[in-house]
Amino acid sequence: MTSQVFYRKWRPQTLAEIVGQEPVTQTLLNALSSGRISHAYLFCGPRGTGKTSTARALAKAVNCLTNGKGEPCNTCDMCRAITEGRAFDVIEIDAASNTGVDDIRSLREKVGYAPNQARYKVYIIDEVHMLSNSAANALLKTLEEPPPYVIFILATTETHKILPTILSRCQRFDFRRHSQANVIAYLTRVCQGESIKVDTEALRLIAKSATGSQRDAVNLLEQLTTYYGSELSLQQVQAMLGVTGDARVKELVKHIINNDISQGVATINSVNNDGLDLKQFNRELVDYLRGLLLIKTGSDESVDLAAEDIAELKTLAAKASLEQILRAVKLFGQLQPGFDNYPTLPLELALVDCALTPELEPVSSQKPSAPVSPSPQKVAAPAQAASRPQPQKVTAPVTAHSQPPKTVPRSTPAPVPEPVPAAATAQILEGATEVERLRLNWKLVIEQAPQDTKKTSALAILRSGGVQPTAIENDTVILAFRHNNLKELIEKAENQQIAEKIIGNFLGHSCRISCITEDNHLLKAALKM
């Protein structure tokens, strides 16, 4: 006897065996028992959710020689013929391969013939959204008023591509993705029938990788047994699926929560040096961070992890604020690894962003976003101050009949109490205008970067928040880095040229850059200059 692949061998044969789609199957069973069978059905939903299996079970149910008003018996000649795919009156059509109008015209001609053996002729049209517009329009009239012995069952994964005129002629049923519990139960039944020994955690991992598709899950199981045999361990499943394992994911999350950049960068590079897939590692990292977020918000029941993992997440959640966790989820969740020369760079930059302390991060946002330049009022102020006496509001003596001077409000501008002499103001503006304009408008420097630098690693480094300009000497911009690894990356020839182009574009003239590494307290002092 020819062997069958698992998903065909273990396909549900009755409506009751189709788990996870109870609203659909119960409605169909009620229609069968009352004899209110529709002439056209539309089954919508993701792949592997049971659309074709439900269509075949319905075809058997309406033609069953034993019953005909409920579940098929699967023992009569008609049920067996439909199960084995040799029933002439149950026609399955792949719309992806028969998209033309001529195919539909041929179908319309055959619809007029009465069934040979069965009670109903059942047409199952899979991937119906692949029909061309002309073919879909040719199907409309037959779909609306078919002969009384014909039932159409249309199946699709993309409902939005189907003509509204077809949708209005069918009873629509939406199939949902299977829960992990349903997929695990299905895999357990297959393993029992095939004498496969497998760990529960391994089945959980297979179900998770299948993302709600039973067919994908059972195909993964068959692939694993073909390679490893009938005994499967968690480590074998992880190796086949390319899963890195949870050890370094948990380790990196701890470093993120502790703001430990050096250890976090070491962990990321150790994963890369071992040749593991960084995209898969990041997916697992985001999934673990999501679990941490759910724990922090009190949604423990939504976390599908083992009890010991949940306990560890609760310990981590107690150490972190909700804002810190939310920031980490956003930064790593939006990651798009794509730097071939520096594959770890996106993860490293996200780690640095997570570790930025609140007082350092909003520096640019607390400063004015417009370029800093002396306004006419500020330039005129020193000249006016030289030709008039100094204001006496603050230094006026307190007499017996006068009130003591009130404290100057915080909102009062700083230059008002004691204007700076003209010579001093000119010296400050002349010596610090360009570097101050660059430092206070660093966000604008990034936003105005030339278009051909938008997707470069140099721009990503400058945007990371771990760099600030501290001085300009002979057209050389001194950049201070909080972390040595970012400094080493920007000093590579290609990145340095792009960084000089970005900064020069803002300054309006060409420049060079020189990089230094500053401790956090030195950088804070430089930022306050």
Side-chain angles (χ1 to χ4, degrees), residues 29-49:
L29 286 172
N30 292 343
L32 287 166
S33 62
S34 61
R36 302 174 64 180
I37 301 298
S38 176
H39 66 278
Y41 295 95
L42 177 63
F43 293 167
C44 316
R47 69 181 189 277
T49 51

Side-chain angles (χ1 to χ4, degrees), residues 312-488:
E312 191 169 357
L313 281 174
K314 288 183 177 179
T315 303
L316 281 174
K319 297 179 180 179
S321 65
L322 182 59
E323 292 78 9
Q324 184 183 15
I325 298 172
L326 181 62
R327 179 175 175 80
V329 172
K330 286 183 176 180
L331 285 170
F332 286 95
Q334 297 171 357
L335 229 56
Q336 296 180 353
F339 297 114
D340 294 335
N341 295 332
Y342 316 108
T344 61
L345 181 59
L347 284 166
E348 291 166 346
L349 293 179
L351 174 66
V352 172
D353 276 348
C354 285
L356 288 178
T357 54
E359 66 269 19
L360 286 179
E361 181 186 2
V363 165
S364 59
S365 63
Q366 293 174 358
K367 304 288 185 179
S369 59
V372 177
S373 60
S375 65
Q377 294 178 352
K378 290 183 180 179
V379 173
Q384 295 173 2
S387 62
R388 68 187 182 195
Q390 295 295 326
Q392 299 298 321
K393 288 185 179 180
V394 177
T395 59
V398 179
T399 65
H401 303 286
S402 62
Q403 298 294 330
K406 296 182 179 180
T407 304
V408 178
R410 290 186 180 180
S411 59
T412 302
V416 171
E418 295 183 5
V420 181
T425 304
Q427 184 179 1
I428 293 173
L429 291 174
E430 182 181 357
T433 296
E434 196 168 42
V435 69
E436 283 294 329
R437 186 165 69 95
L438 188 62
R439 182 187 303 147
L440 299 178
N441 296 278
W442 189 247
K443 184 176 181 181
L444 200 60
V445 174
I446 304 302
E447 292 175 353
Q448 294 180 353
Q451 191 62 36
D452 58 347
T453 67
K454 291 292 187 182
K455 295 185 178 180
T456 61
S457 56
L459 184 65
I461 296 170
L462 296 179
R463 187 192 291 121
S464 68
V467 54
Q468 283 289 341
T470 60
I472 298 179
E473 301 175 358
N474 298 326
D475 288 336
T476 298
V477 179
I478 310 299
L479 297 180
F481 288 81
R482 280 196 291 276
H483 307 290
N484 190 58
N485 62 321
L486 295 182
K487 172 180 173 291
E488 292 175 353

Side-chain angles (χ1 to χ4, degrees), residues 211-287:
T211 62
S213 171
Q214 283 191 346
R215 183 169 64 245
D216 289 356
V218 77
N219 280 338
L220 284 173
L221 177 65
E222 184 172 19
Q223 185 177 354
L224 286 161
T225 55
T226 302
Y227 187 77
Y228 291 110
S230 58
E231 294 188 8
L232 301 176
S233 65
L234 177 61
Q235 291 73 23
Q236 291 172 335
V237 175
Q238 288 176 337
M240 176 66 77
L241 297 180
V243 177
T244 61
D246 292 338
R248 278 180 287 196
V249 169
K250 297 177 183 178
E251 182 180 323
L252 183 56
V253 171
K254 290 178 182 177
H255 298 325
I256 292 171
I257 299 303
N258 295 329
N259 291 331
D260 192 340
I261 295 177
S262 59
Q263 291 299 319
V265 170
T267 300
I268 293 171
N269 281 275
S270 71
V271 171
N272 182 59
N273 292 337
D274 288 346
L276 300 179
D277 186 355
L278 291 180
K279 291 184 179 179
Q280 176 62 29
F281 180 81
N282 187 61
R283 281 193 288 268
E284 296 175 38
L285 177 66
V286 173
D287 187 56

Side-chain angles (χ1 to χ4, degrees), residues 54-111:
T54 303
R56 291 182 178 180
L58 180 60
K60 287 191 290 186
V62 296
N63 288 312
C64 181
L65 302 178
T66 304
N67 188 356
K69 288 188 176 295
E71 290 279 25
C73 67
N74 282 322
T75 56
C76 66
D77 292 339
M78 184 55 60
C79 286
R80 292 172 59 188
I82 296 174
T83 300
E84 296 168 7
R86 53 183 176 83
F88 291 106
D89 297 317
V90 177
I91 304 99
E92 292 193 37
I93 301 173
D94 179 18
S97 306
N98 301 273
T99 61
V101 66
D102 292 335
D103 299 313
I104 300 303
R105 285 173 179 167
S106 174
L107 182 150
R108 289 177 57 187
E109 292 174 1
K110 296 175 182 178
V111 162

